[in-house]
Amino acid sequence: MLRLTYSPQQMSNVLRCFVLALLDLSAAFDCVDHDILLSRLECKFGLSVLVLGWILSYLAERTQWVVYQGDISLLVWLLWGVPQDSVLGPLLFLLYTAELFDVIEAHGATSHFYADDGQTVCQPARQLMLSSPSATWEPAWLSLTSTPG
């Protein structure tokens, strides 16, 4: 938690303006495509075929059902997703979304993620510099007036 509160406070002391985006990728664990995950693990992280086979066996042939007031739903095969209630699930999710960090960094921002919750902080390219705290800023499009022609 210290990292989440310290970074914006530190930035506000140095910068006049910054943008903080809080991200909650809801249901993200359930949307992980196994083929894409395995491809990224092999190409980006260099995992061997043997290790990829172990991970595939961990992800494949998973099922679930729901029990509600004594009634049991049909058994459903899970074709996507990683288990959330495990140590490996959140790690696989972070590796699956690792390219997101490259995109964020390429745009001059920094980020901090824990599983599917994250924060991204960036400084806009053009700073707003006001002459005094009471000064107001008006976008150029507001001051444009159309004249009948």
Side-chain angles (χ1 to χ4, degrees), residues 6-137:
Y6 179 71
S7 180
Q9 288 174 352
Q10 180 185 21
M11 291 190 78
S12 67
N13 290 335
V14 176
L15 307 171
R16 291 183 182 258
C17 180
F18 68 93
V19 175
L20 169 66
L22 300 174
L23 307 172
D24 181 9
L25 306 174
S26 60
F29 280 83
D30 299 328
C31 299
V32 172
D33 183 298
H34 296 164
D35 292 332
I36 294 173
L37 172 63
L38 293 171
S39 174
R40 287 187 182 162
L41 291 175
E42 180 180 21
C43 296
K44 186 170 176 84
F45 299 103
L47 271 63
S48 69
V49 174
L50 178 64
V51 174
L52 293 172
W54 292 339
I55 293 172
L56 180 59
S57 71
Y58 175 71
L59 298 173
E61 298 184 18
R62 293 177 32 240
T63 59
Q64 75 178 20
W65 68 89
V66 176
V67 177
Y68 178 72
Q69 294 182 350
D71 293 328
I72 301 173
S73 72
L74 295 175
L75 186 69
V76 177
W77 289 91
L78 301 176
L79 304 176
W80 300 276
V82 293
Q84 296 180 40
D85 57 348
S86 66
V87 174
L88 192 55
L91 176 61
L92 289 174
F93 178 77
L94 284 175
L95 295 173
Y96 180 76
T97 59
E99 291 180 358
L100 177 62
F101 298 104
D102 298 337
V103 172
I104 291 170
E105 185 178 311
H107 288 85
T110 59
S111 62
H112 174 78
F113 276 78
Y114 178 76
D116 61 346
D117 296 312
Q119 73 168 16
T120 300
V121 180
C122 67
Q123 176 184 3
R126 184 174 153 227
Q127 287 288 322
L128 262 184
M129 300 297 177
L130 302 177
S131 57
S132 73
S134 63
T136 59
W137 176 77

